[in-house]
């Protein structure tokens, strides 16, 4: 059986959102000692225990509130009187420390697994992010760097994946070409709104895409709702230089959103 830290390391390496719960102090009659630990994921208790019964049930519920974003703090101390707060017959007091990991992680979705996508994923694997790459070509997906941060999806119907993407995803389209990027872009602009949406290509491709959107009956504002060309205007056409410029633009967009969120006046 793995130790707590072995279980934690495995989940962390896989990028799984989790909350660790530690008994940091006790008074009186309690079901566990100081230092007891458990790991909670979206599925519930994954490892360890902080006492079982009602106190553990309440702690698991609290941890899952953190995972769902209902509690905004990444760390949290609670002190419960087991009789008054938990409904247990023992009259002790337990103090718990909650700490979340991989919660609210930066999520990046890439349609396409070609040379530039490979370079982009190679660089992004060094960042604190979760990457999804979608492509119909199994052999190209197999060439991508191996990383616990990367999820690959092989499908011949890439537009069908749009509905399942998380709302906070930064989405980059760099598939085999215009004919495969276009239907994904149209599906996104018809049905979703993401914090970042970019399509690899030149100004000429951007003009063609705007005509395609008009022909598809999308409103005029959709023509300005995506980046094309993508990336900052630096570097050459080398795949890694393109990838670097795209990452710079993704970071710029992420940080602009963060600044706007923190500067928003209170209601």
């Amino acid at each position: 059986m793995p130790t707590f830290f072995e279980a934690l390391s495995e989940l962390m390496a896989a990028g799984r959102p989790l909350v660790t719960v530690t008994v940091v102090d006790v008074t009186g009659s309690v079901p566990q000692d100081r230092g007891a630990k458990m790991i909670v994921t979206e599925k519930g208790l994954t490892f360890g225990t902080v006492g079982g019964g009602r106190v553990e049930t309440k702690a698991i519920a609290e941890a899952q509130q953190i995972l769902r974003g209902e509690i905004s703090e990444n760390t949290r101390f609670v002190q419960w009187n087991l009789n008054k707060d938990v409904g247990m017959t023992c009259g002790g007091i337990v103090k718990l420390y909650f700490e979340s990991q991989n919660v609210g992680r930066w999520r990046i979705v890439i349609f396409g697994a070609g040379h530039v996508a490979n370079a982009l994923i190679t660089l992004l694997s060094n960042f604190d992010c979760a990457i999804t790459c979608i492509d119909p070509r199994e052999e190209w997906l197999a060439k991508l760097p191996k990383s616990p941060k990367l999820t690959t999806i092989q499908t011949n119907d890439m537009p069908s994946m749009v509905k399942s993407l998380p709302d906070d995803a930064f989405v980059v389209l760099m598939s085999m070409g215009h004919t495969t990027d276009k239907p994904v872009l149209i599906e996104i602009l018809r049905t979703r709104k993401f914090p970042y949406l970019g399509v690899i290509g030149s100004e000429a491709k951007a003009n063609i895409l705007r005509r395609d959107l008009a022909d598809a009956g999308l409103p005029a504002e959709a023509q300005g709702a995506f980046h094309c060309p993508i990336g900052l205007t630096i570097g050459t056409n080398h795949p890694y230089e393109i990838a670097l410029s795209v990452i710079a633009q993704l970071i710029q967009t992420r940080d602009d959103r963060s600044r706007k969120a923190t500067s928003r006046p209170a209601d």
Side-chain angles (χ1 to χ4, degrees), residues 192-227:
R192 303 295 303 275
K193 185 173 183 179
F194 297 110
Y196 177 93
L197 175 60
V199 186
I200 196 168
S202 63
E203 288 287 355
K205 179 176 178 177
N207 290 332
I208 293 169
L209 284 170
R210 292 185 188 104
R211 289 199 296 271
D212 292 335
L213 297 177
D215 292 343
L218 288 165
E221 56 265 28
Q223 297 181 23
F226 63 98
H227 297 271

Side-chain angles (χ1 to χ4, degrees), residues 19-32 38 40 49-66 71 76-88 90-98:
V19 174
T20 60
V21 188
T22 305
V23 179
V24 293
D25 200 10
V26 297
T27 303
S29 177
V30 296
Q32 260 293 1
M38 72 177 181
V40 180
T49 178
V50 293
R54 290 186 178 182
V55 67
E56 190 159 280
T57 299
K58 184 175 174 67
I60 291 169
E62 188 105 355
Q64 291 189 311
Q65 282 185 291
I66 296 171
I71 296 172
R76 182 175 176 85
F77 283 100
V78 300
Q79 180 171 295
W80 295 331
N81 181 299
L82 298 186
N83 185 291
K84 295 178 181 177
D85 299 321
V86 185
M88 298 174 68
C90 49
I93 295 173
V94 62
K95 190 170 187 178
L96 303 175
Y97 174 61
F98 295 76

Side-chain angles (χ1 to χ4, degrees), residues 85-166:
D85 299 321
V86 185
M88 298 174 68
T89 55
C90 49
I93 295 173
V94 62
K95 190 170 187 178
L96 303 175
Y97 174 61
F98 295 76
E99 183 175 15
S100 65
Q101 305 287 347
N102 295 333
V103 175
R105 206 172 194 188
W106 190 20
R107 292 189 274 198
I108 301 169
V109 177
I110 301 165
F111 285 85
H115 296 295
V116 178
N118 192 306
L120 181 59
I121 290 166
T122 299
L123 295 180
L124 283 173
S125 64
N126 296 285
F127 289 75
D128 184 17
C129 62
I131 312 158
T132 300
C133 183
I134 303 167
D135 196 286
R137 302 166 296 175
E138 186 177 356
E139 68 276 14
W140 283 87
L141 289 170
K143 295 177 185 179
L144 297 175
K146 301 298 181 282
S147 170
K149 298 175 182 177
L150 173 64
T151 299
T152 60
I153 299 173
Q154 192 267 321
T155 176
N156 290 315
D157 186 5
M158 291 194 293
S160 71
M161 300 303 302
V162 169
K163 62 179 179 294
S164 63
L165 301 183

Side-chain angles (χ1 to χ4, degrees), residues 213-247:
L213 297 177
D215 292 343
L218 288 165
E221 56 265 28
Q223 297 181 23
F226 63 98
H227 297 271
C228 185
I230 53 173
L232 303 186
T233 53
I234 56 173
T236 68
N237 285 330
H238 188 283
Y240 276 92
E241 294 201 15
I242 296 172
L244 183 62
S245 76
V246 172
I247 291 173

